Structure formats: C-alpha cells, structure tokens
Amino acid sequence: MTHFLDIHTTDASDLRSIIDNGIAMKQARAGKTKGALDADLPLAGHMVALIFEKPSTRTRVSFDVGVRQMGGQTMVLSGADMQLGHGETIADTARVLSRYVDLIMIRTFEEATLLEMAEYASVPVINGLTNRTHPCQIMADVMTFEEHNGPIKGKKVVWSGDGNNVFASFAHAAKQFEFDLVFTGPEPLDPEPALDGLYTIERNPDAAVAGADLVVTDTWVSMHDPQSARERRHNQLRGYQVNDELMSHAKDDALFMHCLPAHRDDEATSSVMDGPHSVIFDEAENRLHAQKAIMRHCLGV
Ligand code: CP
Ligand code: NVA
C-alpha cells in the first residue's frame, strides 16, 4: 500500500520522481483546455473520495480536476455530512470506503485521524492537510521553485512568520530535497520540537532573509488556531510581515511564495504578492500537476 502521508515518510527518490513526473505531465498538457483529458488516461476506471473536514478552495478543486483529467471519477465529501462527523469511527469509515473507492484524500484536524484512516484503509490515503503538515502543498512549491530557478538543492529558503503546518512540511522537504531552511518568527510561535535539526532560527527577519533564494510565509492564524488568538498573533507577527523592504534583502532573483489563502497586507503586502518576485499563482496551479503525479505514485499507474 503506497500512501502519501508526509514528505519525511516518503522516499527521497520517490519525491524526486513525483516532481519530475508533475513537470512532464504539465508540459504534456500545454495549450489544452482545463477539462481536456490526458492522452493516456491513467486513472480510467478509478474512483477517488475527497474528504474535507475543513474548508478548501485549491485542494478541493485541484484534486477534483486532476482526477478527471486522468480519466477517473471523484466524489467530494464533507466530513460533517458523513457518519464520521456523527460518531462512526475512523477505522470503520476507512474499511467501508475501501469497498467503494480506489483512493482516499482527506483534509482533517488531528494527524491521528489521517494515520488511523491509512492504517485501516485497504486503498491508498493522501494527506490533504492536517494541523501538523501539508505535504501536497510543498510538493507543488518545490516544483514551482525548480520551474523558475532550477534545482532547489543547496538553495536558501527563508520562512517568515508562524511555525505552522505548512512550515513543518517545508522542514521535512529541506532534508529530503537538501536545501537550507531558515525560520524567522517570534519564539512563542516556533515550530514544534519534533522538527529541530531540520532548520535554523534567526530572530532578525532582515538578517534571516539576507541572500535568500526563496522567501515564504503563510497566514498568521491557521484553520485549527482559536480565533481568540488572533489579536495576540497579529501583535507577535507584525514585525515578520513580508514587504518590499524585507524582500530587498533577498537575492535579486529570489522568489516569493504563499500557499494561499492570504490575508493581504497582514503576513505579506499586496506589493509583494503581486510583485516581480511572486509566484503564488504558479504554486496554486502546480497543486494540480504535482497531485496528479502523487496520485499516480500511490496507485502505481
Ligand atoms: N493552499 C491550500 O491548501 O488551499 P485551500 O485551503 O484552498 O485548499
Ligand atoms: N496554515 C494554513 C494553511 C491553509 C492552506 C491552515 O492550516 O489554515
């Protein structure tokens, strides 16, 4: 069973193949309409369940479109509308769904939910974001970096802001793809200790960004964070906003990334998001291509 649960639990050689296949599949579709079928229809005859226990725009649409382009079929399920949201166990849900579908993608809260789904499913399970990680996003981000600026190996990537789930997958990727990752943010919002050793900390954002090849940020308040923390987080993170002044410390050809959705002029200014360094919409597009390659990896097709 080939699940895609996290970047650190997937072989580096498989991660490399996924990126390369994503780029090749993207190139093969050049000039086609979004709904056009891929030539080889690798998911023909396959049914995919997409389960969401949290909101989503990119993950929902990119997985759905990706399956259809490859000739498969999808069902998009809201966790709240399933018996899962009303007391049925994850293990029973996994065993039942495995009788109907060939692949399960789930976006959920606790990582334990994802792991239990994977343990009891007899079909591959893909992590579409948990409170702890967001591996599909970072596969799209590595693909986007390499399309624009070549191999990410040995490059300097700087994360400015909250040490959250998206950062965690960047930390896992730093080891697997061999790039240097610097975290700059306030100490109370440091990444979880399990990630120690995968990145370095520089509290001064200007010093952190000096010579960066890539600057990344994300929302200051994630979906699993209590809204009551909003004001405190804004006060803690204001000094880590990605603005033109901060970007001026990076390399001239540095890229700026944000997984989106963004709160414009909080974690990043519109001048950066819409400026010459920004590749935020390429990242969003590449969710589609990278995830198609992830699904093929999981299904062995
Ligand atoms: N970046 C991302 O996962 O976006 P959605 O929450 O819209 O899926
Ligand atoms: N850190 C954000 C990412 C959203 C795609 C969250 O978990 O809400």
Side-chain angles (χ1 to χ4, degrees):
M1 188 65 55
T2 308
H3 301 301
F4 186 77
L5 300 180
D6 263 317
I7 287 185
H8 64 301
T9 55
T10 304
D11 282 352
S13 60
D14 288 337
L15 295 171
R16 172 46 54 197
S17 300
I18 289 167
I19 299 288
D20 294 345
N21 289 342
I23 291 173
M25 290 171 72
K26 179 178 181 177
Q27 288 170 347
R29 289 190 61 81
K32 287 191 180 180
T33 54
K34 309 293 188 296
L37 294 172
D38 287 348
D40 48 351
L41 298 181
L43 258 64
H46 290 83
M47 179 62 77
V48 179
L50 306 172
I51 303 173
F52 290 91
E53 297 198 288
K54 287 175 177 170
S56 169
T57 296
R58 279 142 290 268
T59 306
R60 181 188 308 251
V61 178
S62 59
F63 266 104
D64 199 345
V65 170
V67 172
R68 291 168 191 237
Q69 287 181 350
M70 294 193 289
Q73 298 186 70
T74 59
M75 56 185 65
V76 181
L77 303 163
S78 154
D81 294 338
M82 299 170 69
Q83 298 292 9
L84 178 65
H86 299 274
E88 186 167 20
T89 67
I90 300 151
D92 286 349
T93 305
R95 288 180 285 206
V96 169
L97 287 179
S98 298
R99 302 291 180 104
Y100 301 132
V101 305
D102 302 291
L103 180 66
I104 299 169
M105 191 289 311
I106 180 165
R107 165 170 287 195
T108 188
F109 289 87
E110 300 303 328
E111 183 178 62
T113 304
L114 170 80
L115 299 179
E116 194 172 341
M117 184 73 79
E119 182 179 349
Y120 289 95
S122 54
V123 299
V125 173
I126 295 176
N127 176 359
L129 179 146
T130 70
N131 296 358
R132 284 189 81 181
T133 60
H134 195 4
C136 291
Q137 179 67 52
I138 278 50
M139 294 300 284
D141 292 353
V142 170
M143 175 176 163
T144 304
F145 184 92
E146 297 201 335
E147 279 186 319
H148 282 271
N149 282 5
I152 199 166
K153 182 176 178 175
K155 293 294 193 323
K156 178 177 179 180
V157 177
V158 180
W159 178 279
S160 186
D162 179 24
N164 66 11
N165 47 359
V166 178
F167 175 83
S169 287
F170 259 107
H172 294 147
K175 182 168 185 194
Q176 299 283 55
F177 290 99
E178 300 177 61
F179 57 83
D180 295 324
L181 179 63
V182 179
F183 171 82
T184 187
E187 194 173 343
L189 299 177
D190 274 354
E192 61 168 307
L195 302 170
D196 287 357
L198 299 175
Y199 67 97
T200 55
I201 297 181
E202 168 53 66
R203 297 284 171 212
N204 180 309
D206 291 353
V209 168
D213 296 285
L214 168 62
V215 179
V216 194
T217 191
D218 186 15
T219 181
W220 288 343
V221 186
S222 284
M223 290 183 274
H224 60 274
D225 290 321
Q227 281 302 313
S228 57
R230 189 175 175 79
E231 190 177 335
R232 176 166 36 86
R233 282 171 163 264
H234 276 237
N235 289 332
Q236 289 169 318
L237 286 159
R238 194 159 288 129
Y240 295 93
Q241 181 191 64
V242 182
N243 49 38
D244 292 320
E245 199 285 321
L246 187 63
M247 285 303 295
S248 73
H249 298 278
K251 283 189 181 159
D252 289 345
D253 68 347
L255 302 178
F256 168 73
M257 291 191 189
H258 188 313
C259 65
L260 305 176
H263 296 78
R264 283 176 173 259
D265 300 312
D266 283 347
E267 67 268 17
T269 58
S270 281
S271 60
V272 169
M273 292 182 62
D274 301 327
H277 299 286
S278 177
V279 289
I280 57 177
F281 298 112
D282 292 335
E283 287 179 85
E285 176 181 344
N286 284 338
R287 293 292 301 280
L288 170 67
H289 308 294
Q291 289 161 188
K292 286 170 70 176
I294 290 168
M295 289 188 275
R296 294 187 71 161
H297 164 73
C298 290
L299 290 166
V301 295

